[in-house]
Amino acid sequence: MTGRFAPSPTGRMHLGNIFTALLAWLSVRSQGGRMLLRIEDLDPQRSRAAYAEQLRRDLGWLGLDWDGEMPPQSTRSPVYAAHFAKLEEQGLIYPCYCSRSELHDASAPHASDGTVLYSGACRDLTPEQLETLVNDLVDEYVTENLPGMTVRMEYLVARIRRNLVGLLGFIQRDLRQSGFQPVAFELRIDDRPDADDPGAPRIDPVELCDDAGHTVRVVGTIDRVDAMPLEKLGKTYLRVVDYKTGKKSFDYTNVLHGRGLQMLLYLFALVRQGGHLLHGEPLPAGVLYFPARIERVSVRDRLAQAEIEKERRKQLRRSGVLLNSDPVLEAMEPCGGSPRFLPYTLDKEGRKTGDLASFAQLAQLERFVFRTVAALGDELADGRIDPDPCIRDAKDSACAFCPYSEVCAGHEQPRWLKKITAEEFWQTLERREHG
């Protein structure tokens, strides 16, 4: 037989260590087995090589010899990390904050052989557990990257903690009730493997060609891809989600003028190239900007808590354009047609109004987006890069932060982009396509 003693080098030996070492040594030696020593140096803040050497000397002084020493546990971290990542990719792990006694008490029924089975108590984390998770992650980041924080930095970190707790809770509730579930994070659109993770999922780029023979390749990284498979029909609805810490939102005026196309490019690239990652034919369900921060709510008017929560929900309302399909919209947010977070509402007659599009309109939008990108590539290839600034208002001006403003010297008169409605946007696409 083989036995081992595995002390942690975080201090001097105490009676508990000695008792454990003695029991292991007596058990092995009484049966003529091998005794091994393994240093459990998994606490980088407290483990010291000097403590490990002192442990060896103490064991020798006590007469508790060993036949070999296993590699320190810290040297095997890459092995454990690889297996952890594999389990994480398969969706087989999640955080658990139960104590050992709580796990044992909650593990009924046991397996027939007496093995304790995990009850799944932390599959759905409570708000308190989510807060603990956030605090642990923020503390780890602060320790590694922000030594000696100022008072102001401590205040900002505290705000980040509160925002993360609120947002994680919101995302958790959203995913619990949604028929759309994440199938990919940081999905690359590229035909080149990721240098850091060559086996990571990816889709091939879309290649667009113009009449002059120029080719534009659409590449990028998608924050999050959600899917709702319809296995019986052999189809899968896809939704692209982009997390935003700023105030960027889906804007028809920008899209019409070739701005803010990224999310739409990603969605339509997925529809064209992402079939191998999914179960069935990909169908577009829409794009959503997901607010990744919660703005402070002014309490100057002494709002009641219910009013504050209402204001916060308003801030979390998402922006984007979605497929106008009752089953799809209800799967995204079961609400009987009156959503709190999706970008549409019901009018007095019960009709849906807002940022919705039919299948035909999304197909038309796909053609428009790819034509626009191909035209931009054609202009760049031909060297047509004359200044052509546009402006929406004082806060949204192409000239405000342009590094070439001194070269331009104001000779080019900015184009004012008139704000248009969703209806005007679709009418314009129809005229441009069919005259």
Side-chain angles (χ1 to χ4, degrees):
M1 67 170 293
T2 300
R4 60 111 174 102
F5 174 54
S8 298
T10 57
R12 301 289 297 270
M13 285 186 70
H14 51 72
L15 287 176
N17 298 139
I18 296 171
F19 182 70
T20 301
L22 179 60
L23 284 180
W25 187 86
L26 288 172
S27 177
V28 170
R29 293 305 185 213
S30 66
Q31 301 182 59
R34 296 176 64 242
M35 181 68 183
L36 300 178
L37 178 67
R38 186 177 75 191
I39 301 299
E40 297 280 295
D41 56 343
L42 294 177
D43 186 341
Q45 274 72 43
R46 299 170 58 209
S47 296
R48 299 286 186 275
Y51 289 144
E53 186 57 37
Q54 183 65 51
L55 286 166
R56 296 185 184 96
R57 289 197 298 269
D58 291 344
L59 290 171
W61 183 83
L62 290 168
L64 304 178
D65 60 339
W66 57 94
D67 303 307
E69 187 166 336
M70 301 172 68
Q73 282 291 77
S74 61
T75 64
R76 293 181 55 78
S77 295
V79 177
Y80 302 141
H83 285 282
F84 184 90
K86 187 175 181 180
L87 292 171
E88 193 171 32
E89 289 174 2
Q90 297 172 350
L92 298 177
I93 58 175
Y94 44 86
C96 177
Y97 297 96
C98 299
S99 66
R100 292 187 180 183
S101 61
E102 289 171 335
L103 287 173
H104 191 276
D105 292 341
S107 60
H110 300 280
S112 58
D113 61 357
T115 302
V116 175
L117 302 178
Y118 181 49
S119 67
C122 288
R123 187 173 289 113
D124 294 316
L125 298 180
T126 66
E128 293 76 18
Q129 291 165 336
L130 274 179
E131 185 172 358
T132 299
L133 174 62
V134 167
N135 286 333
D136 289 346
L137 293 173
V138 173
D139 287 342
E140 179 181 342
Y141 181 85
V142 168
T143 299
E144 295 179 358
N145 300 282
L146 300 173
M149 287 197 299
T150 63
V151 174
R152 172 170 173 74
M153 185 61 70
E154 290 177 354
Y155 165 75
L156 293 175
V157 168
R159 281 187 58 184
I160 290 173
R161 290 181 195 270
R162 292 193 295 272
N163 275 344
L164 286 174
V165 170
L167 288 169
L168 282 178
F170 177 69
I171 292 172
Q172 181 189 53
R173 292 190 297 273
D174 180 52
L175 294 180
R176 280 176 179 171
Q177 53 85 44
S178 178
F180 280 78
Q181 293 297 309
V183 294
F185 295 93
E186 298 296 319
L187 179 65
R188 297 176 67 247
I189 304 175
D190 206 328
D191 51 4
R192 298 163 296 182
D194 188 341
D196 297 326
D197 188 5
R202 57 185 172 84
I203 65 172
D204 288 334
V206 172
E207 294 191 349
L208 309 172
C209 300
D210 61 15
D211 295 335
H214 303 132
T215 300
V216 176
R217 303 171 73 249
V218 177
V219 300
T221 302
I222 309 174
D223 275 3
R224 187 177 112 192
V225 179
D226 294 348
M228 184 178 74
L230 303 176
E231 296 181 2
K232 292 183 179 180
L233 299 178
K235 302 177 184 296
T236 296
Y237 283 106
L238 294 177
R239 178 177 71 180
V240 170
V241 175
D242 194 29
Y243 295 104
K244 289 298 178 186
T245 56
K247 296 184 178 181
K248 186 173 182 179
S249 60
F250 186 82
D251 187 285
Y252 291 101
T253 303
N254 283 338
V255 172
L256 188 63
H257 292 276
R259 309 199 309 170
L261 301 181
Q262 183 183 40
M263 290 265 282
L264 296 170
L265 279 169
Y266 289 166
L267 174 65
F268 298 135
L270 270 171
V271 171
R272 288 194 181 189
Q273 308 285 73
H276 67 287
L277 295 177
L278 307 161
H279 299 290
E281 176 191 355
L283 299 174
V287 299
L288 285 176
Y289 286 115
F290 195 109
R293 71 173 183 177
I294 300 177
E295 298 286 352
R296 288 174 293 178
V297 176
S298 174
V299 295
R300 287 178 295 179
D301 298 327
R302 299 187 181 275
L303 298 177
Q305 185 62 36
E307 294 173 308
I308 293 175
E309 291 303 321
K310 182 179 179 181
E311 184 63 28
R312 284 177 175 160
R313 284 197 300 270
K314 186 188 300 183
Q315 294 174 1
L316 290 170
R317 193 172 184 87
R318 278 152 278 184
S319 170
V321 61
L322 302 174
L323 176 65
N324 190 357
S325 161
D326 288 339
V328 169
L329 296 173
E330 192 68 15
M332 290 187 188
E333 184 182 345
C335 58
S338 300
R340 294 190 298 172
F341 303 111
L342 296 183
Y344 76 95
T345 58
L346 296 181
D347 62 18
K348 294 180 179 180
E349 284 73 35
R351 295 171 300 191
K352 295 189 296 294
T353 63
D355 298 322
L356 302 174
S358 65
F359 265 123
Q361 287 174 320
L362 287 178
Q364 189 177 54
L365 181 58
E366 177 182 357
R367 294 190 294 272
F368 166 76
V369 168
F370 284 142
R371 281 200 308 269
T372 300
V373 173
L376 291 172
D378 182 44
E379 291 180 3
L380 288 172
D382 287 346
R384 287 176 279 157
I385 55 173
D386 295 334
D388 187 19
C390 57
I391 186 171
R392 296 284 300 277
D393 54 46
K395 295 181 179 180
D396 186 0
S397 168
C399 300
F401 304 101
C402 178
Y404 303 104
S405 58
E406 293 183 0
V407 177
C408 178
H411 294 307
E412 297 296 331
Q413 186 67 27
R415 290 180 295 128
W416 284 85
L417 304 185
K418 177 187 174 183
K419 183 175 178 62
I420 62 172
T421 65
E423 183 179 4
E424 292 171 328
F425 174 80
W426 296 114
Q427 289 174 351
T428 302
L429 290 196
E430 183 69 20
R431 285 197 303 271
R432 289 185 179 182
E433 190 163 81
H434 300 293

